[in-house]
């Protein structure tokens, strides 16, 4: 072995001592939070996964924090890396920074959608998942040439979210890495007309099931945030996954990956005559057309962040601002 290899092995041995003669592996995971502007993201992590008391500030671009947990006394602490992409869909190119070929095996994505803004919901979801999936697929394509066994393992793991005897096994298209979809601001959403709630809930159930994702609705209620904590802790620290499920559209949804089915979700919520007029190449496209008929989408440009962060008092720096004003003048 080279000198550096010996040095690395020595450090690992010191940091990860044997327990009862068995090697103790440090669990290390990464999670990227994406979603609506001003959505509830890292505050969930701060309050419930990391037990931190400070109130997180709104994310400007790409925010990073981490958490550590010890499984047992006198054992190395497991590490979870948390990233949050700010700006909604305006900074999509930054997604490629936290997700790399070196951490792809231990990466997960949490998509936070604002249930109180259904007209932005599909566009936001589609853009963020599309860009993330394209980037992950590029990494997997490279791994197929350099480390084919790793690429195969990642793909098979996502397929395993559904049992092979599940009736929908061949009908879904799992996201390439673990995905959780969080519907935030349930307290506002709960005041919507019951039919509107049903359409949004059924649509998100279908999308989550189609992508092999977990789905949970939450608000500032501690009981609902606790359910989010269960899912985040499962992704971050490998805690047991909850097997409880709630599919009642009149209540907050909580559906862990693999526990739903197309037969339970039912067809897209529209009349048979309207359904017959819609042309779609995939089931996902059909659900999109039905959803957008009720909730016409805002254009992608409308969702871009138009505020200039340089004018935000939160980021004021006297020397820099004086020079900037001088330059502008």
């Amino acid at each position: 072995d080279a000198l550096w290899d010996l040095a690395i092995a020595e450090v690992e041995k010191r940091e990860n001592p044997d327990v009862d003669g068995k090697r103790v592996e440090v669990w290390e995971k990464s999670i990227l939070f994406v979603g609506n502007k001003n959505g509830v993201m890292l505050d969930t992590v701060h309050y419930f996964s990391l037990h931190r008391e400070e109130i997180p500030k709104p994310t400007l671009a790409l925010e990073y924090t981490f958490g550590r947990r010890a499984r047992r006394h006198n054992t190395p602490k497991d590490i979870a890396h948390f990233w949050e992409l700010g700006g909604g869909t305006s900074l999509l190119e930054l997604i490629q920074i936290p997700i790399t070929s070196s951490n792809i095996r231990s990466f997960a994505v949490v998509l936070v959608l604002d249930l109180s803004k259904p007209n932005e919901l599909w566009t936001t979801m589609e853009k963020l998942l599309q860009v993330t999936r394209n980037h992950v697929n590029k990494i997997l394509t490279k791994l197929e040439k350099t480390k084919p066994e790793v690429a195969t393992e990642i793909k098979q793991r996502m397929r395993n979210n559904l049992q092979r005897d599940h009736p929908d096994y061949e009908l879904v298209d799992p996201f390439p890495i673990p995905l959780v979809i969080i519907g935030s601001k349930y307290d506002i959403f709960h005041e919507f007309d019951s039919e509107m709630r049903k359409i949004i809930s059924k649509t998100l159930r279908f999308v989550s099931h189609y992508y092999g994702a977990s789905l949970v609705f939450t608000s500032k209620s501690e009981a609902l945030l606790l359910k989010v904590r269960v899912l985040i802790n499962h992704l971050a620290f490998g805690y047991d996954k909850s097997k409880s499920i709630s599919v009642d559209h009149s209540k907050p949804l909580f559906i862990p990956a693999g526990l739903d089915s197309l037969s339970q979700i039912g067809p897209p919520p529209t009349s048979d005559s309207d359904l017959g007029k819609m042309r779609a190449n995939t089931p996902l496209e059909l659900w999109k057309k039905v959803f957008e008929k009720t909730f016409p989408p805002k254009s992608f440009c409308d969702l871009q962040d138009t505020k200039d962060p340089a004018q935000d008092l939160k980021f004021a720096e006297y020397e820099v601002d004086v020079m900037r004003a001088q330059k502008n003048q």
Side-chain angles (χ1 to χ4, degrees), residues 31-34 39-51 69 82 108-113 115 179-187 214-244 246 252-257:
I31 300 175
L32 172 64
F33 287 76
V34 297
V40 181
M41 293 198 222
L42 278 187
D43 54 350
T44 302
V45 177
H46 275 73
Y47 289 133
F48 287 90
S49 293
L50 305 183
H51 303 292
R69 289 275 178 88
F82 298 105
V109 173
V110 175
L111 172 65
V112 184
L113 299 171
L115 295 174
L179 173 67
V180 169
I181 297 177
I182 297 177
S184 69
K185 301 185 182 176
Y186 178 79
D187 48 341
S214 296
L215 175 66
V216 57
F217 284 1
T218 190
S219 67
K220 292 181 180 178
S221 153
E222 287 202 18
L224 293 182
L225 281 170
L226 196 61
K227 292 189 173 186
V228 176
R229 178 187 173 186
V230 169
L231 289 175
I232 301 300
N233 276 332
H234 171 70
L235 292 178
F237 300 109
Y239 287 17
D240 289 342
K241 190 194 298 186
S242 173
K243 292 183 179 177
S244 68
S246 173
L253 297 183
F254 181 77
I255 311 171

Side-chain angles (χ1 to χ4, degrees), residues 108-113 125 129 133 157-162 172-182 203-216 231 234-235 241 245 253-261 265:
V109 173
V110 175
L111 172 65
V112 184
L113 299 171
M125 175 176 67
L129 291 184
R133 185 167 204 157
R157 183 181 61 194
M158 292 312 299
R159 269 282 167 196
N160 290 343
N161 270 340
L162 275 189
V172 297
D173 184 19
F175 205 69
I177 56 179
L179 173 67
V180 169
I181 297 177
I182 297 177
T203 301
L204 287 179
R205 278 183 67 186
F206 171 79
V207 171
S208 298
H209 183 59
Y210 187 75
Y211 283 138
S214 296
L215 175 66
V216 57
L231 289 175
H234 171 70
L235 292 178
K241 190 194 298 186
I245 184 170
L253 297 183
F254 181 77
I255 311 171
L259 297 186
D260 213 344
S261 69
I265 297 167

Side-chain angles (χ1 to χ4, degrees), residues 1 29 39 58 83 136 180 186 197 199-200 236 242 295 326:
D1 286 346
K29 297 285 184 178
W83 298 84
V136 170
V180 169
Y186 178 79
R197 291 203 314 270
I199 293 171
I200 296 170
S242 173
F295 305 106
Q326 193 176 19

Side-chain angles (χ1 to χ4, degrees), residues 45-71:
V45 177
H46 275 73
Y47 289 133
F48 287 90
S49 293
L50 305 183
H51 303 292
R52 293 179 183 169
E53 294 179 359
E54 74 267 19
I55 298 173
K57 297 174 183 176
T59 299
L60 175 63
L62 193 62
E63 183 83 23
Y64 170 80
T65 188
F66 69 93
R68 299 202 302 179
R69 289 275 178 88
R71 273 176 278 184

Side-chain angles (χ1 to χ4, degrees), residues 13 27-28 42 56 223 290:
K13 187 177 178 181
W27 174 285
E28 190 167 352
L42 278 187
V290 171

Side-chain angles (χ1 to χ4, degrees), residues 127-196:
K127 277 288 174 187
L128 287 166
L129 291 184
Q130 189 178 57
V131 171
T132 305
R133 185 167 204 157
N134 289 344
H135 176 61
V136 170
N137 283 339
K138 282 181 184 176
I139 292 175
L140 291 176
T141 301
K142 288 180 181 177
L143 282 175
E144 282 172 352
K145 296 175 182 176
T146 57
K147 297 180 179 178
E149 68 285 352
V150 173
T152 303
E153 177 202 322
I154 292 170
K155 291 178 180 177
Q156 191 56 48
R157 183 181 61 194
M158 292 312 299
R159 269 282 167 196
N160 290 343
N161 270 340
L162 275 189
Q163 300 294 329
R164 283 192 172 274
D165 58 355
H166 194 290
D168 305 334
Y169 188 79
E170 298 296 335
L171 303 175
V172 297
D173 184 19
F175 205 69
I177 56 179
L179 173 67
V180 169
I181 297 177
I182 297 177
S184 69
K185 301 185 182 176
Y186 178 79
D187 48 341
I188 300 174
F189 171 77
H190 189 60
E191 302 300 320
F192 284 8
D193 171 76
S194 61
E195 194 57 34
M196 288 173 63

